[in-house]
Amino acid sequence: MRAKTIAAVISLSCIAGSTELLAQAPPPPDLDCELLDGVNEPSETEITGCAKSLLNHQSLVNTSNSIAGIIAGRFDLGPNQTEPAGLELAGAKDIAERLSGGGAILIAPTADVVVAAASPMWNVWVDGKYNWLDDTSAFSNLDGSLINLIVGADYKFTDRLVLGVMGTYETSDLEGSGLLPPTQETDGWGGGVYLGLSLTDNLVFSANVLGTELDTDVNGGAADFDSTRVQASSALTGYFYSGTWRYSPSITVAWSKEWQDATAALNAQTIETGMISPGLQFGNTISLGGATTVEPWLGAQFDWVGINKVVDDVAGTILDDPYTDLRLQTGLNFAFGANAQLALTGEISGLLYKDSDTYTAGANFAFQF
């Protein structure tokens, strides 16, 4: 009897000790997307944990770039090309005769000189970007398209303040390789507000907040869930000119967070992205005749993505992987008179980030009245 009692005490002690060790066990390790390379059947948690951040980051970049470009077109930032009132003399001979002969010189009254039209108060615009995303690390080359469409309208309250609203549509289609390739498809509608503030004749501040409701389908319906995403970004951009040449340094701060609903195959998750991006552009304005001009430009932006995090409600943090990247940009900015602009842009990213490459082509048309 005494031996049984001792054995029971030892067993209870072992159970209690095991329970205490389990309680003190560290949380599950972070999800390492690189270790999933070559896996043909990743779980839904692995797909959203490793692939959604790339989509959210690119959507954030697209929106912040679009708003910064729209705001730049709403202020008179270029060199002043208006000619002042002056002497009405017909050629060198007329000038010499009048100056030497003491004849009367006609001065054109300022009121008779054509003045620049008043700056339009309203602005409407549409922006579209097509992105090809190549995830070179996770899930056997999971890659595909992301399309961002934005329509917006704004009003210039003063010469230095613009406020506007925007609506968005987003869709993506990513697919991997293998016998049973992983897939992820998203569709979403959103709306937001933005502002532009001309701090000086050369410095412009822009900012926006956007909310989006998304529907995501993973692995052909294995997980179909809704989510809500909030994006916010602000940018400070300089516009400095030497003749027709433009020099534009910039700094952008952007943040995104998505809250995914739980399903039978997937726990609830939050996906967060935050970055700081200094950049630089050079452009040269060329006259095409009449009131039409075009500005070819080149630029680059360095992204420090200090927040790249996915948290699972059950497993805890499954991804926490800050990184840096470099984006190269080019484009053509057309101006058709004083009331219409067309911007064509191209961008490549992933030059420093080894796990993915992204190629983007975009167009933006704006009209003022």
Side-chain angles (χ1 to χ4, degrees), residues 9-340:
V9 171
I10 293 175
S11 298
L12 290 174
S13 299
C14 292
I15 294 174
S18 300
T19 303
E20 184 177 355
L21 288 175
L22 290 174
Q24 295 177 355
D30 292 350
L31 176 61
D32 190 340
C33 299
E34 292 186 6
L35 297 181
L36 300 173
D37 197 17
V39 176
N40 293 327
E41 298 182 50
S43 69
E44 287 71 34
T45 297
E46 292 170 338
I47 293 175
T48 56
C50 292
K52 257 305 185 67
S53 294
L54 180 61
L55 289 172
N56 288 3
H57 171 262
Q58 190 60 40
S59 179
L60 185 61
V61 167
N62 290 341
T63 302
S64 58
N65 283 352
S66 298
I67 296 302
I70 284 295
I71 292 302
R74 296 294 279 138
F75 299 112
D76 297 326
L77 301 171
N80 186 2
Q81 302 294 333
T82 303
E83 294 290 341
L87 302 179
E88 290 190 350
L89 299 178
K93 183 178 179 181
D94 192 8
I95 294 174
E97 289 178 353
R98 296 194 180 218
L99 290 177
S100 61
I105 297 176
L106 178 62
I107 303 296
T110 303
D112 294 338
V113 178
V114 177
V115 297
S119 178
M121 295 296 101
W122 286 98
N123 177 50
V124 292
W125 54 277
V126 59
D127 182 280
K129 286 186 172 59
Y130 177 86
N131 313 267
W132 181 260
L133 293 83
D134 182 8
D135 192 336
T136 59
S137 172
F139 322 132
S140 302
N141 298 317
L142 187 74
D143 50 33
S145 63
L146 166 67
I147 298 174
N148 293 99
L149 298 176
I150 313 176
V151 295
D154 57 63
Y155 184 80
K156 183 182 286 187
F157 284 85
T158 71
D159 289 341
R160 294 190 178 276
L161 176 63
V162 170
L163 296 177
V165 296
M166 59 181 170
T168 66
Y169 173 70
E170 175 181 319
T171 181
S172 69
D173 185 0
L174 305 181
E175 183 174 348
S177 59
L179 296 177
L180 295 173
T183 62
Q184 178 176 265
E185 300 176 2
T186 65
D187 289 283
W189 297 87
V193 295
Y194 63 94
L195 69 85
L197 186 63
S198 178
L199 302 177
T200 71
D201 292 340
N202 303 101
L203 288 177
V204 173
F205 174 79
S206 60
N208 72 88
V209 177
L210 172 66
T212 306
E213 293 293 328
L214 294 160
D215 177 72
T216 302
D217 186 309
V218 180
N219 283 344
D224 189 351
F225 57 90
D226 297 326
S227 60
T228 299
R229 186 178 66 205
V230 175
Q231 297 176 349
S233 66
S234 62
L236 182 64
T237 308
Y239 296 89
F240 302 96
Y241 289 84
S242 176
T244 58
W245 286 90
R246 172 175 64 89
Y247 162 72
S248 293
S250 66
I251 183 74
T252 302
V253 179
W255 171 85
S256 170
K257 191 166 186 177
E258 180 177 343
W259 292 266
Q260 293 182 169
D261 296 340
T263 69
L266 182 69
N267 300 324
Q269 295 179 353
T270 58
I271 300 169
E272 188 173 10
T273 301
M275 64 179 184
I276 299 176
S277 304
L280 181 62
Q281 285 186 10
F282 292 97
N284 183 34
T285 300
I286 301 170
S287 175
L288 298 180
T292 302
T293 63
V294 60
E295 183 200 45
W297 61 270
L298 295 172
Q301 281 195 280
F302 176 82
D303 292 339
W304 177 63
V305 185
I307 302 175
N308 181 36
K309 191 173 185 178
V310 180
V311 178
D312 186 282
D313 277 4
V314 175
T317 300
I318 59 175
L319 177 71
D320 190 359
D321 185 24
Y323 64 92
T324 58
D325 195 13
L326 177 66
R327 292 182 277 130
L328 297 182
Q329 308 159 319
T330 187
L332 296 171
N333 295 332
F334 293 90
F336 308 100
N339 297 85

